[in-house]
Amino acid sequence: MTNQATEALLHQAIQAHQRGAIDSAQQFYQQVLSIQPEHALARRNLGLIALQTGFYQEAAALLQSAIHLQSDIGNWHGELGQALRRCHRLQAAEQSFRQALAMPPVTAHTHYLLGDLLLDMHRMDEAISCFQQSLALDPRMTQVYAALAFLVSTGDYVFSQAEQQQLEDLLLDQSLADQQISALHFAKANLLHHQYDYDQAFMHFCTANEAKRRTHAPWERFDLQQQQNTLQHHQQMFTSDFFTTHKQRGSDSRQPVFIVGLLRTGTTMLERVLAAHPLVSARGELTDMRRIAQSRLPKRLNSHYPQCLLSADDRILGSEAEWYLSRIRQHDVSTEIRIINKMPADFQLLGMMHMLFPNAAVIHTVREPIACLWSCFSRDVHARFSNDFPDLVGMYRIYRQYMALWNKCLPQRVFTVRYEQLVTDFQPVVSATLAHMKLQWDARILQFHQASDAVNTPSRMQVRKPVHRDAIASWKPYARHLQPLLDGIAEVDAELGVYAADTG
């Protein structure tokens, strides 16, 4: 095939990529590579798709191979840094960002990315220096204002007069894109919250979320009907009889620990607390279970999930379980080590997870619903449902229905931890959680906030501090604005009952 034909395929791939037709784009890029295996741009773009869709190991491998073929493009090194960061290869990520900064043109965005990584690594002064260098190169780097304002809200930074004026000027700029508008208004809201001006802060939170919602491409938007249809498939298939008659299992391993729940229910805090135990290791938010459900099993069994589980035998489930274990074990050789995957949305996959690992510890974090939903709305959590009150209530309903399903057909399988109990009665709650994991209390857990490894969720500053109760009532200053959320929660709870599972 001629170079002209290859370039035509590449053009088709890029067009499909730009309009969000990810499957088509991947097919075209793969066709390019089947003709020219060392086509650097096709490898790099496949790496970006893998990064965008949550397959971080694959993204890192593809981006590394692209850079091996063409190493003189600085932003490719920055993209590799983002993939390595999501793989928890923090030193390698830092090296990639610094490599990008060593190559012209040096961008404000790369300084921001390095600063954000250093913030994860709790290297606060270096992070702030990177943020300031980013603003020096581009005063319109709105993500930086959002990052610094969040540090103001946690008591870790003070805006200079010049920074405050730059922020105010940008808020009046009519030429900004929606992503920039969202970041600026989250920044302003956090500053106003810190000043106790809650009414004005609420207005800016609303503007930030409206702008963020506009940034979602059509295929990214929260679709409640689609979510409800998927849930109905699960409800029809996963019954007590199903688990009685389908006894196929994957692995007897007790190593996996799964923490699930609605966003902002304390999943990160609990992960950090448990990871302070010498026999527990945390892997962050892994997409591997979702990959098994959405890709690996359907391809092997030529059937959509969850119906593919009907024909999954011990051999197939066992190989998928071993694949998962190979992904999480890394340097933790001892089978005594419990390895946490904290992926909140995996509450949708608990039926499959039970079949793969019937002896795994499944921990469900629960928080007062209004506190949880308000926290989703007031933090830039990058969730499709978090930018609109009806979507938040819709997601709460879906979540409650899933948990009702698992509690009915897998009774006693899920261990519940209440956020409010965790922060008010710390040691007994953690001891009970460890017992569920077949582990005993260890006093080193009391120093969980001193851990040096990275946290890259919106909770990263909170989990660097000792347990406190500040977040329990953080929604109350905004109560007069939250009646639609309160009414929606009340409607769901009237239908499904207030979630009453006690810890354990």
Side-chain angles (χ1 to χ4, degrees):
M1 188 174 286
T2 65
N3 285 340
Q4 185 176 7
T6 304
E7 290 306 307
L9 282 172
L10 181 65
H11 180 67
Q12 287 179 290
I14 292 172
Q15 283 191 320
H17 196 168
Q18 289 174 339
R19 68 173 182 268
I22 298 302
D23 290 342
S24 296
Q26 286 179 307
Q27 291 173 9
F28 285 128
Y29 287 134
Q30 292 291 0
Q31 288 181 49
V32 171
L33 292 177
S34 70
I35 301 164
Q36 293 186 22
E38 296 191 347
H39 198 294
L41 181 60
R43 286 181 175 272
R44 176 259 188 171
N45 288 357
L46 277 173
L48 291 184
I49 289 176
L51 182 60
Q52 174 187 351
T53 53
F55 299 125
Y56 305 124
Q57 300 282 359
E58 288 76 5
L62 285 162
L63 290 166
Q64 283 173 324
S65 68
I67 288 171
H68 179 74
L69 295 167
Q70 189 169 345
S71 61
D72 60 344
I73 304 178
N75 68 300
W76 289 17
H77 290 272
E79 291 158 358
L80 175 58
Q82 295 179 67
L84 291 168
R85 176 185 178 187
R86 297 308 300 256
C87 294
H88 297 275
R89 296 169 59 186
L90 307 181
Q91 301 302 325
E94 181 181 354
Q95 183 178 355
S96 288
F97 287 137
R98 294 196 184 280
Q99 182 68 33
L101 288 171
M103 303 172 69
V106 175
T107 68
H109 185 62
T110 306
H111 276 294
Y112 163 73
L113 291 173
L114 177 57
D116 209 41
L117 172 69
L118 294 170
L119 199 60
D120 287 352
M121 299 168 75
H122 205 48
R123 290 158 61 180
M124 185 79 68
D125 291 343
E126 293 175 80
I128 290 171
S129 176
C130 285
F131 291 149
Q132 291 171 336
Q133 289 178 71
S134 179
L135 287 180
L137 285 171
D138 182 3
R140 292 162 60 93
M141 270 296 294
T142 57
Q143 303 102 307
V144 174
Y145 295 101
L148 292 175
F150 182 67
L151 294 180
V152 170
S153 72
T154 60
D156 295 291
Y157 188 71
V158 176
F159 263 50
S160 68
Q161 285 189 338
E163 288 167 341
Q164 291 182 32
Q165 188 59 54
Q166 286 175 329
L167 173 60
E168 295 298 333
D169 291 344
L170 283 171
L171 285 168
L172 300 175
D173 191 331
Q174 300 296 311
S175 67
L176 297 179
D178 284 327
Q179 188 66 51
Q180 294 174 296
I181 293 169
S182 176
L184 282 175
H185 283 275
F186 272 120
K188 183 62 175 178
N190 276 313
L191 293 177
L192 289 165
H193 175 88
H194 188 66
Q195 297 164 7
Y196 309 107
D197 190 346
Y198 300 119
D199 289 343
Q200 288 297 313
F202 179 78
M203 292 175 57
H204 285 279
F205 279 130
C206 289
T207 303
N209 278 286
E210 288 167 4
K212 184 65 179 286
R213 200 165 189 260
R214 292 195 298 268
T215 68
H216 296 157
W219 63 88
E220 294 177 322
R221 291 172 188 157
F222 180 73
D223 187 334
L224 180 58
Q225 187 59 56
Q226 182 185 59
Q227 292 281 337
Q228 194 70 48
N229 292 342
T230 301
L231 170 64
Q232 288 174 356
H233 287 306
H234 289 214
Q235 290 170 325
Q236 290 166 4
M237 179 171 148
F238 292 118
T239 64
S240 299
D241 287 343
F242 172 85
F243 289 105
T244 299
T245 56
H246 291 78
K247 296 183 179 298
Q248 301 94 326
R249 296 293 182 265
S251 170
D252 291 333
S253 174
R254 294 187 180 276
Q255 272 199 288
V257 177
F258 302 107
I259 299 180
V260 300
L262 205 56
L263 287 179
R264 307 299 296 160
T265 54
T267 56
T268 300
M269 173 177 283
L270 183 61
E271 175 200 41
R272 300 293 294 173
V273 167
L274 297 175
H277 192 288
L279 292 179
V280 178
S281 182
R283 291 288 181 270
E285 297 182 346
L286 303 179
T287 59
D288 294 320
M289 279 294 153
R290 198 152 294 267
R291 183 173 183 183
I292 292 172
Q294 293 179 349
S295 176
R296 291 179 61 86
L297 281 177
K299 285 182 179 178
R300 294 185 68 170
L301 298 167
N302 195 30
S303 178
H304 293 297
Y305 183 86
Q307 286 74 20
C308 58
L309 290 173
L310 293 170
S311 53
D313 58 21
D314 289 338
R315 179 184 61 82
I316 289 177
L317 291 174
S319 66
E320 292 301 312
E322 286 305 314
W323 176 82
Y324 177 80
L325 290 171
S326 72
R327 303 272 292 182
I328 66 171
R329 277 175 173 156
Q330 298 180 8
H331 59 277
D332 297 316
V333 178
S334 172
T335 57
E336 297 300 311
I337 299 291
R338 304 292 192 271
I339 303 175
I340 298 175
N341 174 2
K342 178 195 73 74
M343 178 55 79
D346 277 357
F347 65 77
Q348 298 171 314
L349 303 177
L350 291 186
M352 180 192 75
M353 291 156 68
H354 172 72
M355 294 179 73
L356 289 171
F357 295 104
N359 294 322
V362 179
I363 303 168
H364 170 214
T365 57
V366 177
R367 185 180 182 186
E368 185 180 4
I370 185 59
C372 172
L373 298 189
W374 169 246
S375 187
C376 288
F377 188 80
S378 61
R379 298 290 176 85
D380 192 0
V381 296
H382 307 295
R384 292 180 299 166
F385 63 83
S386 67
N387 306 124
D388 176 80
F389 281 8
D391 286 351
L392 282 163
V393 173
M395 190 65 219
Y396 176 64
R397 181 186 300 277
I398 291 288
Y399 151 75
R400 288 292 316 280
Q401 289 174 309
Y402 268 108
M403 294 315 301
L405 172 64
W406 307 130
N407 288 333
K408 179 180 179 180
C409 65
L410 292 172
Q412 309 302 315
R413 183 69 179 90
V414 179
F415 183 89
T416 300
V417 173
R418 287 188 171 278
Y419 172 80
E420 292 83 3
Q421 292 178 352
L422 177 63
V423 299
T424 57
D425 204 12
F426 181 78
Q427 187 165 333
V429 171
V430 177
S431 294
T433 308
L434 289 168
H436 176 67
M437 298 164 59
K438 311 302 181 187
L439 296 174
Q440 295 183 339
W441 169 262
D442 188 287
R444 281 168 281 193
I445 287 173
L446 295 172
Q447 280 73 49
F448 77 92
H449 57 286
Q450 297 176 2
S452 59
D453 54 326
V455 180
N456 62 350
T457 75
S459 304
R460 60 188 175 187
M461 300 310 298
Q462 290 95 320
V463 300
R464 295 297 186 190
K465 299 175 181 178
V467 170
H468 57 83
R469 306 176 186 182
D470 298 352
I472 291 179
S474 60
W475 64 276
K476 289 187 176 179
Y478 300 92
R480 64 190 295 264
H481 302 288
L482 303 184
Q483 200 59 47
L485 279 181
L486 291 165
D487 290 344
I489 291 166
E491 182 179 331
V492 174
D493 288 347
E495 175 187 340
L496 299 172
V498 176
Y499 196 89
D502 293 327
T503 302

